[in-house]
Amino acid sequence: MNSVAPVRTIRLADLSPEERRRLTHRSGAISMDVTSVVRQIVEDVRQKGDESVREYTERFDGVKLDSLEVPRVEIETALDRIDQHLAEAMSIAASNIRAFHSAQIHPEPVVETSPGVKVWRVWRPIERVGVYVPGGGARYPSTVLMHAVPASVAGCSEIVLCTPPGPDGKVPEATLAAAALSGVTRVFSIGGAQAIAAMAYGTQTIPPVQKIFGPGNVYVTAAKMLVFGDVDIDKPAGPSELVIIADDTADPRETAADLIAQSEHAPDNASVLVTTSESLAEAVLSELTRQLEDLPNRDRVISSFRSNGFILLVEDLAQAVGFVNEYAPEHLQIVTVSPREILEGINNAGSIFLGRYSPVPAGDYAVGSNHVLPTSGSARTFGPLSTEEFGKWVQVQELTQEGLRSISNAVTAMARAENLEGHARAIEVRFSV
């Protein structure tokens, strides 16, 4: 990498197949050392409940908790205690998230597959879900909204939230306010692997849930993987990532700002510009240098650029689309003359933002779409967090006598072909004299 450039520039045509594969395939593997530590934490919490949760909270967070649960009155009054501009912003975000996610669940039609044979599906929510929100010295009310609002829309009767306490042992007011806005029923001031174990198996204070959602560090992710099977989980979360497809119509100032915005999440994030324009690439490099000068998170962004960021020069937009489908980014921005034409060729991306006025931070907070997205290439097979993940469709079948008679020969023939005589007789007994 050029020592004075904040991010390296690569020409796609110069890459060998192996180099290209290394760029597009990121590993989400967790080390055995981390897994070993987390396995012990999970087992301790499973065996000793609240006692272990308190011990690990004191060890890792430096906080000795009098109570694990935040009193309900603190949640209900949190909106009155935060800055009212923030309260209004969160209310707008919650309303937009609710509107978008409410459209994802709707009654399905009854299908008559044969005369007298009706089949349909009915929606049923998961009764109790758990949401993990990173915390400690930080606050992430948007993460609360993105999980708990869809859970509420889905009809989950209990939404349990766990988040690490701050140095004072308390949950940030903004997090509690988001919980109040989004329908969270109980909040516990615990974090880390011990919180995941507590939600998975339950303790004297914390109820066991049926499915756990939410991002976290490598220890939280390892805990989710370990409890999976005893409880369901959403998906493991890796470093955040952005790819921008841009042609020479893109504004270099805006493009640089978008790359920086994505890279300030964490030093292992990935921000990638894929462009047909060498002049844009050069202008973006200059803008990155200029905009980084007074950025509060400058060191974190530079670390992110140096570890996972790059500018990729391609010959045409078809090459750009091919690369993006291999990379399968969490976020994809398309800033070209005709973004919707490019959209048609994209198969693998978590969330797509079209045009210069659709920057990723808008989706992070207030568009209404979900910002919980597949990372590390998992957008090849996974989609964004949705209302459907907080429940399930249940199949229903209703047959009349004539309806069953009309398919009875098909059922009995297939049952006997599979050597399941009892299946066949369960049909025939209904028509025997």
Side-chain angles (χ1 to χ4, degrees):
M1 185 176 92
N2 188 324
S3 60
V4 298
V7 64
R8 58 185 169 150
T9 299
I10 304 168
R11 193 176 295 276
L12 183 61
D14 293 340
L15 296 177
S16 68
E18 180 55 32
E19 288 172 328
R20 181 165 175 160
R21 189 182 187 285
R22 282 202 299 269
L23 279 182
T24 56
H25 289 71
R26 288 87 69 210
S27 173
I30 297 172
S31 74
M32 293 300 294
D33 289 343
V34 169
T35 300
S36 177
V37 170
V38 171
R39 181 175 285 109
Q40 185 61 58
I41 295 172
V42 168
E43 189 57 32
D44 286 346
V45 173
R46 187 174 190 176
Q47 295 297 325
K48 296 186 288 185
D50 284 353
E51 178 186 346
S52 284
V53 170
R54 291 178 187 275
E55 288 175 356
Y56 283 117
T57 300
E58 186 171 3
R59 182 191 305 181
F60 297 133
D61 298 310
V63 175
K64 191 170 185 177
L65 296 173
D66 294 327
S67 173
L68 301 181
E69 185 167 8
V70 177
R72 186 68 205 171
V73 66
E74 289 190 24
I75 303 169
E76 293 172 345
T77 58
L79 274 168
D80 297 328
R81 296 194 301 273
I82 65 171
D83 177 85
Q84 286 310 294
H85 291 297
L86 176 59
E88 291 172 13
M90 288 167 54
S91 295
I92 291 170
S95 176
N96 290 348
I97 294 166
R98 188 173 298 277
F100 178 68
H101 289 77
S102 293
Q104 296 172 3
I105 298 295
H106 47 82
E108 293 191 344
V110 175
V111 178
E112 191 167 30
T113 57
S114 296
V117 180
K118 295 179 179 179
V119 186
W120 69 99
R121 299 196 306 173
V122 294
W123 173 258
R124 295 294 182 264
I126 299 171
E127 290 94 338
R128 183 188 291 145
V129 297
V131 175
Y132 183 84
V133 175
R139 58 182 186 176
Y140 295 100
S142 63
T143 301
V144 179
L145 297 176
M146 291 291 176
H147 288 85
V149 170
S152 177
V153 168
C156 300
S157 54
E158 290 188 67
I159 305 171
V160 175
L161 188 149
C162 286
T163 190
D168 60 356
K170 295 187 176 297
V171 172
E173 298 284 13
T175 302
L176 295 180
L181 275 171
S182 54
V184 170
T185 53
R186 299 179 73 179
V187 177
F188 297 91
S189 55
I190 61 169
Q194 63 269 26
I196 301 301
M199 287 192 285
Y201 303 112
T203 69
Q204 294 85 345
T205 302
I206 303 159
V209 303
Q210 294 160 294
K211 188 171 183 179
I212 298 173
F213 297 81
N217 62 22
V218 66
Y219 294 93
V220 168
T221 300
K224 288 171 68 175
M225 300 299 288
L226 285 172
V227 302
F228 178 57
D230 293 325
V231 64
D232 198 10
I233 63 171
D234 49 357
K235 60 180 77 71
S240 191
E241 50 199 32
L242 163 69
V243 172
I244 301 175
I245 295 178
D247 59 18
D248 55 11
T249 65
D251 186 311
R253 293 173 305 163
E254 296 170 2
T255 304
D258 291 338
L259 293 169
I260 288 171
Q262 189 62 34
S263 293
E264 72 176 346
H265 282 295
D268 59 352
N269 282 6
S271 292
V272 177
L273 169 62
V274 181
T275 182
T276 55
S277 171
E278 291 194 39
S279 60
L280 176 69
E282 292 171 2
V284 168
L285 282 174
S286 297
E287 277 295 323
L288 288 174
T289 300
R290 186 185 67 80
Q291 293 183 31
L292 284 169
E293 286 180 358
D294 63 348
L295 188 76
N297 297 323
R298 181 176 184 274
D299 290 344
R300 187 189 308 160
V301 171
I302 290 175
S303 177
S304 174
F305 281 153
R306 287 177 175 166
S307 60
N308 293 312
F310 56 92
I311 295 174
L312 186 71
L313 292 170
V314 294
E315 293 178 5
D316 52 39
L317 291 174
Q319 275 195 351
V321 168
F323 178 82
V324 166
N325 281 328
E326 289 180 52
Y327 194 92
E330 177 190 20
H331 304 93
L332 172 65
Q333 276 182 254
I334 305 175
V335 189
T336 60
V337 172
S338 302
R340 289 206 177 199
E341 289 183 12
I342 304 299
L343 173 65
E344 292 302 310
I346 302 298
N347 294 324
N348 303 329
S351 194
I352 302 174
F353 297 77
L354 302 180
R356 64 180 295 194
Y357 294 110
S358 305
V360 170
D364 284 342
Y365 296 112
V367 167
S369 56
N370 209 291
H371 77 198
V372 182
L373 304 167
T375 59
S376 302
S378 61
R380 298 181 189 98
T381 53
F382 286 94
L385 183 67
S386 64
T387 308
E388 292 97 328
E389 292 184 55
F390 292 91
K392 68 276 185 185
W393 290 101
V394 179
Q395 285 186 170
V396 182
Q397 293 94 161
E398 183 180 49
L399 285 71
T400 63
Q401 182 183 43
E402 289 310 307
L404 179 60
R405 190 189 303 277
S406 71
I407 63 170
S408 61
N409 288 340
V411 175
T412 56
M414 293 177 70
R416 288 186 169 119
E418 296 183 355
N419 199 29
L420 297 171
E421 181 63 24
H423 282 57
R425 292 182 183 183
I427 302 299
E428 292 171 340
V429 70
R430 285 166 167 78
F431 301 104
S432 62
V433 179

